[in-house]
């Protein structure tokens, strides 16, 4: 182990093992997680060793190979879909595996299909006798579902639906596993019966032959080409020309077209939206918070072994982690990783509870949960994406090498700002909920517990007298609460004013959207800070961990005030002098947390294989590893054909024209 | 440009579908063609070469970048006439292809930390080059991996048992004719990167590799046959090259951001989504306020940076006359300013390109949108030619120095002259922060004053915090480190002020009324958006009131 990193671990103020267990939700979970990771990493089929050198074709092939092998592995190990091991499999594979959309295909049939349809399709899918995908997004239409243009026309004479892609913008575009793998897909299309449109409905459509995998008649499909990442996934396009499917292929748990063409709808569709919202929440932890934790691990460990310039004349070059500017880049991101880990945990529990309520046909919490999932998905994915980018750039030149692992983490996490709902659109959904609750609260009507604070908007001043006061969670949580409430109320007021002055409701809404999005973010930021502070408060029993977690909580909160000073100063809630105290307290925290920085990332407990980074490994031998890995690059394995073809003629040409 | 576009040899293939090796091969092919054609057309002016090159490679890197951009110019400025004969003409004729090997695996912006050694052996009149550790392996030089047969290597010179610091040596690395690495040389490609697929960034390890004494570039410093070391006259001259390259990066920030804006704005005009009013067809997403708020400030920024890039280049050309006459008075300020502006514009453009990409939703993520490639090609500019945070701190050092001069009663000139006002105010009992500037939010000139006041306040605050730390602690260096976050903020505020000022100044030079009108709106948008993103600074310093900030936010939205 590199002595520069070994020394960092000797001074830890807490037990890394205890913190890891706490993050996992108990030592038993840590044990299971490690067992799963171990089983997968020691299996050569799951190796990611050459990942950075692979082409799109090779990545795809490896992902399919892993997906198939995983089925075998799960049987061997006795892991099941509902077992405690399952949620760690994805983490161990680092997501580079095919058929994720196959699972969405199954989930959509389970929730939208009738019992008969479930009985027919789910066993086939479970045994991989078909491979499914989920075709919703079109070339010209994304988050706004009503705008989809694919059509499904009911033909009474044959009792079939005829599916068509009427124009280029209606082509299905982006669905994963569809470019090359899938045999079936759930297509979302506008249903027409007797010339009347009934809106978007899901249909199961076979797109490839089960014998030779060739495309079915009327189907045009393929891969959409290179992306920033997800090279292992065959995101695809799909065009349908008079493709006929039997009547039974429309998923009909909630509505049906009867043989004579009568359209019947029953039950509530609300539960469907709930499926969407739970997906959003589960994506946050695996695809957003975990990558940030990895990026922090790589960047912090590298900063502890990279030496650059001198802090004091005559001494050896200093670790870059000792520079205030480097601490100010990395440590707030580390604090954010903890903050968002805790909030996603909290959301997960909230949703599990909500799910049980909904099964009892109680839909009361649905609007609040929906607002939660949209707002937090937007805040967290956006925040973590820029945090990973900061980690990447904090590693200087070597961060730019794929071998650092950071570019791949970045290009992958930034897709999360778009999928499962574009962030701006989601923030505005949360804002709509907040404005509605604010209106209700101000007329004395009951509102969900998370927004009762909106009722108590009043001008005030922060009571802090010196910089130490800003290390009190009550002080800063109150500042966030006040600011969020002010932003919601002032935007709601502006919206009212516009409408009263005669501006049409929709135009007024559009004119307020920049502020509405800001208000929604402030709300989620406030809840995140509050949850962090409350979690730390409850840690009393684990004194060793509580102290460092309190520091991180303070840092996360003060960083937010420091970076958004304007909104806190705006109505005079904080004074200029108080803002200077915030800055002072914030900067004072950096050297304190810096002492525990390496143990804090060690506690995330990523194996070297799962980091797959030449800069981030546990032993800190970055330069040797970088050199070895580079030598394995295929570019060094053969004489470059460019020399014979171009360089040699160039070098030997005397260019007599001169 | 037209020369290139109409030439079938430079026809554009779809880069999106090429592997990394193919991209390298294509780039080499085009570079070879390019060099031939440059000769054919007789293009020799560095700026014309730069434009020709940009057209051929469409703004993408290429393996001969370092040969043309560093190897040849370094020979020109640092080689003796004898060395020019020996190396420059063969290099110009491309019998020699060179690169510039400075950065090492363990050492970047802090040059003095480089570990490669060149030890003089008077017995054979040779230098012995060594890479003594893993961290001393040369790492990153472009064109080193596969293309070059020579490199200018920066190494610590040892002669007569003493270290004389960094010097440049011309080192042959591959056999002419076979292109095989020479004995004692280990060279190769550093593997896959975020972008720069067409560039063979390489590594170089030397093991007791000997070169003749005459291969040290000796126009300034010299080692005589017996090993006696002769010192160079001045070292400020190297500033000139750095200023020039950084001015190119500022221009590149403007160009890359302009490209991304062009794609995102055109796409927003044709993409329809959701509904603004019930019953109406889906509107162009460019009509959504949130979309406008994402893109138009970036468009304004692209214009602002364009003018800044042009300003630095002009200033450089203006004073390079003075430089060759030995007058270096303006150089330190320009050097300090370009360091900060390089960092400021590359950071902003980097984030802006990403913002453009995300404003294109899912399709922005496809490489076919073109934005991912703009991003990965541009983003390393935050690191190369000086890591941005280090650059900001260089500017800060100059600002603090100027502030100290002012405090001790001297006047300063140039872009920092606003610091002179600080001392004048201090004569009055009022603190600078309490002073209110009458700000008219629709008048660019008045906004320049607001930015000036903010910069003055942040420079003063940083300088005072530094002083306070100095009073608490013994070491100057600790105090500097503990203030560096404040110092970076001060530099940013200074650069922001300079940019708003230059943009505003440009307006009066525009003669066409319609163009002036639209540029004025962009200038206002740039300045006001900057305020609305940094309201904390303006509120805290008392430059603007709450009501004014609300007006600023409102005006930004009206300008959209």
């Amino acid at each position: 182990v590199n002595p520069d990193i070994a020394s960092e671990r000797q001074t830890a103020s807490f037990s890394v093992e205890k913190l890891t267990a706490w993050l996992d939700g108990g030592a038993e979970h840590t044990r299971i997680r490690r067992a799963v990771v171990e089983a997968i990493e020691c299996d050569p089929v799951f190796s990611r060793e050459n990942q950075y050198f692979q082409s799109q074709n090779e990545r795809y092939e490896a992902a399919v190979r892993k997906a198939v092998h995983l089925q075998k592995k799960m049987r061997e190990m006795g892991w099941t879909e509902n077992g405690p091991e399952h949620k760690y499999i994805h983490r161990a594979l680092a997501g580079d595996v095919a058929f994720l959309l196959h699972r969405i295909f199954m989930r959509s049939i389970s929730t939208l299909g009738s019992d008969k349809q479930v009985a027919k399709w789910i066993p086939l899918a479970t045994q991989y006798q078909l491979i499914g995908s989920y075709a919703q997004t079109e070339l010209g239409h994304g988050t706004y579902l009503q705008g989809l243009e694919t059509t499904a026309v009911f033909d009474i004479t044959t009792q079939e639906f005829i599916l068509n892609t009427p124009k280029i913008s209606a082509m299905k575009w982006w669905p994963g596993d569809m470019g090359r793998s899938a045999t079936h897909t759930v297509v979302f299309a506008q249903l027409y019966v007797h010339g009347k449109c009934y809106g978007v409905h899901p249909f199961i459509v076979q797109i490839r032959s089960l014998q030779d995998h060739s495309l079915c008649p009327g189907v045009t499909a393929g891969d959409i080409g290179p992306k920033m990442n997800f090279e292992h996934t065959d995101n695809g396009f799909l065009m349908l020309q008079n493709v006929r499917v039997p009547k039974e292929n429309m998923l009909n748990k909630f509505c049906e077209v009867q043989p004579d063409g009568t359209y019947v709808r029953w039950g509530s569709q609300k539960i469907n939206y709930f499926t969407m919202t739970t997906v959003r929440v589960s994506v946050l932890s695996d695809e957003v918070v975990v990558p940030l934790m990895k990026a922090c691990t790589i960047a912090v460990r590298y900063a502890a072994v990279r030496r650059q310039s001198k802090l004091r004349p005559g001494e050896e070059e200093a670790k870059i982690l000792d520079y205030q500017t480097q601490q100010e880049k990395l440590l707030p991101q580390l604090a954010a990783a903890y903050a968002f880990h805790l909030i996603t945990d909290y959301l997960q529990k909230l949703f599990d509870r909500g799910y049980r309520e909904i099964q009892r046909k109680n839909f009361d919490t649905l609007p609040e949960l929906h607002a939660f999932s949209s707002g937090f998905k937007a805040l967290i994915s956006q925040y973590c994406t820029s945090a990973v980018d900061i980690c990447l750039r904090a590693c200087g030149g070597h961060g730019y090498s794929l071998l650092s692992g950071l570019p791949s983490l970045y290009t992958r996490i930034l897709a999360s700002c778009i999928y499962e709902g574009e962030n701006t659109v989601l923030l505005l959904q949360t804002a709509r909920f907040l404005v509605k609750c604010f209106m209700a609260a101000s007329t004395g009507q009951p509102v969900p517990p998370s927004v009762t604070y909106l009722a108590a908007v009043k001008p005030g001043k922060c009571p802090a007298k010196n910089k130490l006061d800003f290390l009190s969670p009550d002080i800063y949580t109150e500042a966030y609460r006040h600011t969020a409430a002010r932003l919601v109320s002032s935007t709601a007021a502006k919206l009212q004013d516009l409408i009263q002055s005669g501006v049409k409701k929709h135009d007024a809404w559009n004119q307020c959207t920049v502020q509405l999005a800001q208000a929604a973010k402030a709300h989620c930021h406030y809840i995140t800070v509050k949850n962090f502070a409350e979690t730390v408060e409850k840690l009393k029993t684990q004194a060793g961990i509580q102290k460092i977690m309190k520091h991180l909580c303070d840092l996360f909160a003060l960083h937010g005030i420091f970076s958004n000073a304007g909104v806190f100063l705006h109505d005079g809630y904080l004074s200029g002098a108080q803002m200077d105290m915030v800055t002072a307290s914030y900067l004072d925290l950096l050297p304190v947390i810096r002492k525990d920085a390496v143990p804090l990332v060690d506690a995330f407990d990523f194996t070297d294989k799962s980091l797959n980074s030449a800069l981030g490994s546990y032993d800190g031998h970055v330069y040797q590893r970088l050199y070895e890995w580079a030598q394995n690059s295929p570019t060094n394995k053969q004489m470059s054909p460019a020399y014979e073809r171009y360089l040699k003629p160039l070098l030997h040409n005397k260019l007599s024209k001169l | 440009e037209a020369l290139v576009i109409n030439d079938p040899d430079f026809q554009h293939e779809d880069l999106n579908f090429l592997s990394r090796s193919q991209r390298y091969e294509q780039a080499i092919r085009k570079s070879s063609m390019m060099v031939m054609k440059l000769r054919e057309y007789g293009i020799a002016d560095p700026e014309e070469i730069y434009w020709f090159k940009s057209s051929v490679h469409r703004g993408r890197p290429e393996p001969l970048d370092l040969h043309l951009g560093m190897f040849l110019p370094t020979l020109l400025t640092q080689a003796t006439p004898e060395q020019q004969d020996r190396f420059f003409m063969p290099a110009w004729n491309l019998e020699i292809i060179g690169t510039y090997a400075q950065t090492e695996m363990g050492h970047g912006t802090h040059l003095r930390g480089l570990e490669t050694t060149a030890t003089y052996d008077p017995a054979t009149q040779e230098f012995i080059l060594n890479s003594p550790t893993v961290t001393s392996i040369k790492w990153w030089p472009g064109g080193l991996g596969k293309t070059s047969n020579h490199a200018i290597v920066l190494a610590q010179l040892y002669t007569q048992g003493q270290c004389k610091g960094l010097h440049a040596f011309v080192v042959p690395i591959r056999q002419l004719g076979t292109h095989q690495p020479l004995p004692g040389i280990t060279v190769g490609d550093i593997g896959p990167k975020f972008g720069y697929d067409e560039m063979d960034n390489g590594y170089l390890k030397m093991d007791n590799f000997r070169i003749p004494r005459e291969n040290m570039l000796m126009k300034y410093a010299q080692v005589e046959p017996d090993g006696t070391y002769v010192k160079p006259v001045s070292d400020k001259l190297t500033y000139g090259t750095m200023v020039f390259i950084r001015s190119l990066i500022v221009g590149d920030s403007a160009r890359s951001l302009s490209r991304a804006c062009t794609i995102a704005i055109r796409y927003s005009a044709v993409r329809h989504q959701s509904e603004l009013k019930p019953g109406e067809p889906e509107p162009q997403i460019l009509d959504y306020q949130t979309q406008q708020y994402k893109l138009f400030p970036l468009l304004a920024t692209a214009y602002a940076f364009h003018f800044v890039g042009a300003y630095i280049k002009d200033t450089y050309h203006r004073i390079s006359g003075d430089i060759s006459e030995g007058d270096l008075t303006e150089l330190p300020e320009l050097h300090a300013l370009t360091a900060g502006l390089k960092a400021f514009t590359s950071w902003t453009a980097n984030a802006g390109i990403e913002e453009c990409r995300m404003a294109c939703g899912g399709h922005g993520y496809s490489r076919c949108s073109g934005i991912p490639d703009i991003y990965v090609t541009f983003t390393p500019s935050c690191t190369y030619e000086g890591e941005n945070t280090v650059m900001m701190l260089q500017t800060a050092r100059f600002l603090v120095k100027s502030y100290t001069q002012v405090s001790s009663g001297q006047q300063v000139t140039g872009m920092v002259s606003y610091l002179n006002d600080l001392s004048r105010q201090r004569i009055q009992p009022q603190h600078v922060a309490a002073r209110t500037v009458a700000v008219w939010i629709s008048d660019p000139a008045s906004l320049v004053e607001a930015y000036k006041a903010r910069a003055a306040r942040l420079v003063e605050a940083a300088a005072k915090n530094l002083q306070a730390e100095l009073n608490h602690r013994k070491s100057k260096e600790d105090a500097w480190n503990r203030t560096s976050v404040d110092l970076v903020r001060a530099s940013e505020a200074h650069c922001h002020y300079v940019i708003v000022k230059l943009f505003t100044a440009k307006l009066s030079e525009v003669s066409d009324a319609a163009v002036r009108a639209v540029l004025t709106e962009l200038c206002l948008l740039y300045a006001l958006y900057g305020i609305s993103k940094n309201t904390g600074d303006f509120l805290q310093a008392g430059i603007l009131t709450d009501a004014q900030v609300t007006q600023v936010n409102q005006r930004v939205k009206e300008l959209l």
Side-chain angles (χ1 to χ4, degrees), chain A residues 52-53 138-144 147 173-174 225-231 306-313 317 322-325 328-329 389 392-393 396-398 400-403 407 410-412 414-415 417-418 422 424 428 494 506-507 510-515 562 565-567 569-572 576 579-580 583 587-588 591 623-624 626-627 630-631 633 635-636 638-643 645-648 650-655 658, chain B residues 16-17 20 24-25 28-29 32 36 39 92-95 97 105-110 113 134-135 137 139-140 146-147 149 177-180 186 188-196 203 205 271-278 282 287-290 293-294 347 350 354 357-358 361-363 365-368 372 375-377 379-380 382-383 387 389 393 457 475 477-478 481-486 488-489 535-536 539-540 546 549-550 554 557:
Chain A
Y52 299 128
F53 306 131
E138 295 174 359
L139 198 43
H141 308 274
T143 309
Y144 180 69
W173 197 269
W174 281 112
K227 297 145 292 187
M228 290 188 85
N229 197 328
F230 288 87
E231 303 287 42
R306 173 79 174 182
R307 288 175 176 274
Q308 193 70 8
S309 306
K310 294 183 182 180
L311 264 173
R312 291 168 208 94
E317 290 188 59
D322 284 326
Y323 289 92
Q324 189 191 45
T325 44
E328 209 263 332
K329 284 176 198 169
D389 186 33
L392 189 157
R393 280 187 277 144
H398 293 322
Y400 191 72
S401 167
L402 285 195
L403 307 179
Y410 178 66
T411 49
R412 191 168 171 128
L414 60 77
C417 293
I418 295 154
E422 200 276 332
T424 306
L428 292 177
K494 186 185 159 194
H506 302 91
D507 288 328
N510 192 28
Q511 284 174 32
C512 294
T513 44
V514 168
Q515 282 158 305
F562 174 80
V567 292
L569 288 164
H570 189 92
D571 64 342
M579 192 53 73
D580 285 339
T583 308
L587 295 178
D588 285 348
Y623 299 121
Q624 290 87 332
L626 195 53
Y627 186 41
Q631 284 168 302
S633 168
T635 46
N636 290 321
Q638 84 241 10
M639 187 68 193
S640 141
Y643 174 70
R645 261 180 238 158
Y646 307 113
L647 281 181
K648 200 168 167 186
L650 184 69
L651 288 164
H652 293 222
N653 184 341
K654 294 293 174 213
L655 290 174
L658 261 174
Chain B
N16 286 318
F17 303 119
R20 200 185 146 220
Y24 167 71
E25 212 176 294
I28 276 281
R29 184 183 68 81
S32 316
M36 313 263 192
R39 302 294 143 77
W92 180 251
N93 292 336
L94 285 166
E95 288 153 32
I97 296 177
M105 183 108 94
H107 309 275
T109 309
H110 180 66
V134 176
T135 45
I137 296 173
W139 199 267
W140 282 112
K146 316 216 124 218
T147 312
N149 51 28
T178 67
H179 212 58
Q180 290 299 323
T186 312
D189 180 278
I190 64 162
K193 295 145 298 189
F194 204 174
Y196 271 61
Y203 60 81
K205 190 167 171 287
R271 172 84 175 182
H272 292 258
Q273 193 71 8
S274 302
E275 48 184 26
L276 270 171
K277 298 178 193 107
E282 297 185 56
D287 284 333
Y288 287 93
Q289 189 191 47
T290 42
Y293 190 69
K294 284 176 198 166
W347 265 336
N350 193 62
E354 271 303 77
R357 190 191 57 70
M358 284 196 245
H363 294 324
Y365 194 75
S366 166
R367 303 247 321 228
C368 300
Y375 180 74
V376 297
T377 305
T379 191
C382 294
T383 310
E387 200 279 327
T389 303
L393 289 171
R457 181 196 166 261
S475 138
E477 290 76 15
D478 277 342
N481 188 29
R482 288 189 58 98
T483 323
S484 49
V485 170
D486 294 331
V488 169
R489 285 177 79 194
T535 47
L539 285 169
Q540 200 180 353
D546 294 351
V549 167
T550 310
Q554 189 52 38
K557 279 175 267 173

Side-chain angles (χ1 to χ4, degrees), chain A residues 274-286:
Chain A
F274 192 70
T275 319
M276 280 273 287
T277 49
T278 48
V279 172
R280 253 177 224 151
V281 171
S282 59
V283 154
L284 279 179
S285 155
D286 280 345

Side-chain angles (χ1 to χ4, degrees), chain A residues 446-623:
Chain A
V447 293
S450 65
V451 286
T452 44
Y453 77 94
L454 292 175
V457 192
K458 45 179 176 288
K461 302 266 179 223
C462 171
K465 300 225 162 27
N466 56 50
K467 67 174 182 177
L468 292 181
D469 286 345
F470 280 102
L471 299 180
S472 152
D474 291 344
I475 295 275
Y476 55 68
T477 309
E478 184 57 30
Y480 273 94
R481 198 179 82 107
H482 176 88
T483 305
R486 178 180 68 75
L487 288 170
V488 173
S489 69
S490 69
T491 314
K494 186 185 159 194
L495 196 59
Q496 281 309 105
D497 285 354
L498 282 172
I499 292 170
Q500 273 163 16
S501 73
V503 180
K504 286 207 187 88
K505 226 168 144 182
H506 302 91
D507 288 328
W509 178 262
N510 192 28
Q511 284 174 32
C512 294
T513 44
V514 168
Q515 282 158 305
L516 285 163
Q518 193 189 23
K521 252 200 251 183
H523 167 74
C524 295
H525 208 153
Y526 156 59
I527 307 266
T528 309
V529 169
K530 178 165 160 263
N531 178 62
F532 202 160
E534 284 170 359
T535 313
V536 169
E537 183 63 24
K538 282 187 227 134
L539 266 173
K540 284 247 161 67
T541 48
Q542 310 219 32
I545 298 174
Q546 194 197 27
K547 202 168 138 213
I548 185 70
M549 283 299 119
K550 165 78 169 54
H551 290 321
L552 285 174
C553 179
D554 294 347
L555 185 74
F556 178 74
L558 296 184
H559 172 73
I561 300 179
F562 174 80
S563 331
N564 301 288
V567 292
F568 291 91
L569 288 164
H570 189 92
D571 64 342
Y573 184 78
L574 288 187
S575 67
Q578 284 174 325
M579 192 53 73
D580 285 339
M581 297 172 198
V582 167
T583 308
S585 267
Y586 166 61
L587 295 178
D588 285 348
L589 279 167
L590 296 175
V592 176
I593 295 171
R594 183 255 169 269
K595 291 196 194 100
D596 281 323
V598 170
L600 279 170
V601 299
D602 286 350
F604 293 143
D605 203 26
F606 292 110
T607 59
D608 285 355
K609 280 185 178 158
S610 81
L611 290 174
N612 206 12
S613 162
L615 302 187
S617 57
Y618 188 83
D619 64 14
H621 288 307
V622 298
Y623 299 121

Side-chain angles (χ1 to χ4, degrees), chain B residues 231-299:
Chain B
K231 260 181 26 181
V233 195
S234 160
D235 51 1
K236 256 187 195 165
L237 281 167
T238 49
Y239 280 4
T241 333
M242 283 196 267
V243 168
F244 180 67
I245 290 176
R246 285 174 196 164
S247 79
L248 289 181
I249 294 180
V250 174
D252 197 29
S253 302
R255 263 188 309 282
S256 301
L257 185 57
S258 308
R259 277 202 192 109
C261 282
T262 307
I263 296 171
I265 290 175
R266 284 184 181 158
Y267 176 63
S268 298
V270 298
R271 172 84 175 182
H272 292 258
Q273 193 71 8
S274 302
E275 48 184 26
L276 270 171
K277 298 178 193 107
E280 290 188 10
E282 297 185 56
Q284 294 158 284
I285 56 174
L286 199 53
D287 284 333
Y288 287 93
Q289 189 191 47
T290 42
Q291 188 75 357
Q292 296 167 354
Y293 190 69
K294 284 176 198 166
L295 295 177
F296 297 159
L298 294 172
L299 181 63

Side-chain angles (χ1 to χ4, degrees), chain B residues 158-227:
Chain B
Y158 283 84
T159 180
Q160 298 176 332
Q162 280 186 316
C163 179
K164 297 291 180 189
L166 284 181
H167 291 78
F169 303 84
V170 179
V171 181
I173 53 175
R174 287 188 173 95
Q175 188 76 51
L176 298 181
T178 67
H179 212 58
Q180 290 299 323
L182 294 166
I185 297 282
T186 312
V187 63
D189 180 278
I190 64 162
K193 295 145 298 189
F194 204 174
Y196 271 61
D197 279 353
E198 39 284 277
M199 180 67 96
D200 54 326
N201 298 85
Y203 60 81
L204 171 68
K205 190 167 171 287
M206 291 167 297
D207 190 14
N208 285 318
F209 187 74
R210 286 174 173 263
I211 56 171
R213 184 183 70 90
E214 295 79 12
N215 278 23
M216 174 174 141
L217 293 179
M218 294 212 249
K219 184 164 174 188
Y220 300 110
Q222 287 165 21
V223 172
E224 291 175 353
D226 66 350

